[in-house]
Amino acid sequence: MTRGLQPHDLIIAGVALLTGLLAGLLLRLVLRWLGERASRTRWGGDDLLVDTVRTLVPWAAVAAGAAVGAEALPLTARTGHTVNMALTAFVILAGTLTAARVITGVVRAVAQSRAAVAGSATIFVNITRVVVLALGFLIVLQTLGISIAPLLTALGVGGLAVALALQDTLANLFAGVHILASKTVQPGDYIRLSSGEEGYVVDINWRNTVVRQLSNNLVIIPNTQLSGTNMTNYSRPEQEMTLLVQAGVGYDSDLEHVERVTVEVVTETMRDVEGAMPEHEPAVRFHTFGDSRIGFTVILGVGEFSDQYRIKHEFIKRLHRRFREEGIRIPAPTRTVALTPGSAPLVIPHQRDGADTPVITPPV
């Protein structure tokens, strides 16, 4: 038979529980201090280790104090067994929450490192968190003596109804998984859709893809739409790209001189402007005998998509200044307007010393 409850039993149980609480509080303070020190190091393993034990160890200390206090009380075998199962389930729950946070942190870090930018694919993070919490919940039920077989059967049958009701949501979910698994789009890529939307991919979650435009606005695109449309990814297979700038000079220009000066300006721009590629080999290609000029294309090297605007801006300014210093004309198109009695003016393209004023032929 179980002996009766004595005052010293309550004292011992209270002391054990209080000791567990104080130990948990002390451990939490110590682990917080260690976490601050670990965050200052370059190695990420110590952060992961401290984060793993930060929640689990203090709650385990509290549970241990409660278990010792329960042992000091004159509980019946059935009550003692129930208390032990409850404390075990409590520890498993704390461990599950800790594991969910640590594993999702690892998944997020891997996603960010592969994207090489500040961004995250939360679809993998959310899926990982749900899976870990579901497994921990099933283990807790099994620990408490609740059979999980009927629950799994009910979930299987109910899953069919849920799948039918959430067709669009599931379609977006699997489309997002397919996009990330195929590596056609990753967080940090600059993309442009056939419908006109463009920008940096900030996040791919379970329902949509978030794109940040250069104007810093966010565009929300459903994953099914992203996977089913024509899209240009300017970050793959590599971020470096070439930029084509169109220009032209007069017919009286020395093209060898024009090419040499343009190459020097390209080299200077690639060396001085941020985001340019200093190792880029300058290239100038003449291609058109126009109405008033000989057209040519200048090929520049750009580190990534958004750099092209700054590089093009600086190159055009420098090329225009250098052409003026070298006496190279960039003629504007001119027109000859012939007026005849009783008819509309006749406009004839004409080049006259690079002037911008049309030549008008008076009516006869």
Side-chain angles (χ1 to χ4, degrees):
M1 294 181 62
T2 304
R3 62 182 178 84
L5 181 62
Q6 301 296 327
H8 69 275
D9 296 331
L10 294 176
I11 295 175
I12 295 175
V15 170
L17 182 59
L18 182 60
T19 302
L21 291 174
L22 292 177
L25 180 60
L26 180 61
L27 288 172
R28 188 171 183 82
L29 294 176
V30 172
L31 291 173
R32 179 179 298 177
W33 179 81
L34 290 176
E36 294 176 354
R37 296 298 182 273
S39 62
R40 300 176 184 176
T41 63
R42 296 183 179 180
W43 183 50
D46 52 358
D47 298 320
L48 181 62
L49 180 61
V50 174
D51 194 41
T52 302
V53 299
R54 179 177 296 177
T55 302
L56 181 59
V57 172
W59 286 115
V62 174
V68 173
E71 288 293 332
L73 296 175
L75 302 177
T76 62
R78 183 175 180 179
T79 304
H81 178 68
T82 302
V83 171
N84 288 333
M85 286 196 307
L87 293 176
T88 303
F90 175 77
V91 174
I92 294 175
L93 182 60
T96 301
L97 296 176
T98 301
R101 185 175 65 253
V102 172
I103 295 175
T104 53
V106 172
V107 172
R108 183 182 291 107
V110 171
Q112 291 178 351
S113 63
R114 291 187 176 182
V117 294
S120 64
T122 56
I123 183 172
F124 287 150
V125 175
N126 292 334
I127 291 176
T128 302
R129 182 182 293 110
V130 170
V131 170
V132 174
L133 292 178
L135 291 176
F137 178 71
L138 293 177
I139 294 175
V140 169
L141 292 180
Q142 191 70 27
T143 302
L144 294 176
I146 301 174
S147 177
I148 62 176
L151 179 61
L152 295 177
T153 303
L155 290 176
V157 175
L160 296 176
V162 173
L164 292 175
L166 301 177
Q167 291 185 26
D168 293 339
T169 301
L170 293 177
N172 284 311
L173 172 62
F174 288 109
V177 173
H178 171 72
I179 290 171
L180 290 174
S182 62
K183 296 184 179 181
T184 55
V185 178
Q186 296 291 324
D189 292 352
Y190 192 96
I191 64 173
R192 176 183 293 165
L193 304 184
S194 58
S195 54
E197 296 88 352
E198 64 177 88
Y200 288 99
V201 177
V202 177
D203 185 23
I204 302 177
N205 55 45
W206 61 275
R207 184 172 179 82
N208 51 55
T209 298
V210 181
V211 175
R212 178 175 56 83
Q213 296 177 320
L214 294 179
S215 59
N216 211 29
N217 297 322
L218 296 180
V219 180
I220 311 301
I221 305 172
N223 292 333
T224 52
Q225 179 181 343
L226 183 66
S227 62
T229 187
N230 295 331
M231 175 185 60
T232 302
N233 191 334
Y234 291 96
S235 300
R236 298 187 180 275
E238 57 185 14
Q239 287 189 332
E240 291 80 5
M241 57 179 292
T242 56
L243 173 63
L244 305 181
V245 179
Q246 305 299 327
V249 294
Y251 278 92
D252 57 348
S253 301
D254 182 356
L255 297 187
E256 294 293 337
H257 183 215
V258 171
E259 182 177 5
R260 183 171 59 257
V261 170
T262 305
V263 168
E264 292 176 359
V265 175
V266 172
T267 303
E268 177 187 348
T269 304
M270 293 295 97
R271 183 185 64 247
D272 298 340
V273 180
E274 181 183 358
M277 300 171 58
E279 68 278 5
H280 171 73
E281 183 178 354
V284 178
R285 299 292 182 264
F286 296 96
H287 56 74
T288 304
F289 289 101
D291 293 336
S292 59
R293 67 183 71 183
I294 297 177
F296 63 93
T297 300
V298 183
I299 304 176
L300 307 175
V302 180
E304 60 107 5
F305 186 87
S306 63
D307 293 331
Q308 63 175 314
Y309 304 104
R310 178 176 59 256
I311 295 172
K312 189 175 183 179
H313 166 78
E314 290 294 333
F315 171 73
I316 290 177
K317 289 197 307 181
R318 298 184 184 205
L319 184 65
H320 181 261
R321 181 175 63 248
R322 186 66 184 278
F323 275 7
R324 292 183 63 181
E325 294 174 354
E326 299 289 337
I328 300 174
R329 294 188 306 104
I330 307 177
T334 62
R335 294 178 182 273
T336 299
V337 181
L339 299 177
T340 58
S343 63
L346 177 61
V347 180
I348 303 174
H350 179 71
Q351 178 182 354
R352 181 182 178 184
D353 297 332
D356 198 19
T357 304
V359 178
I360 304 178
T361 303
V364 179

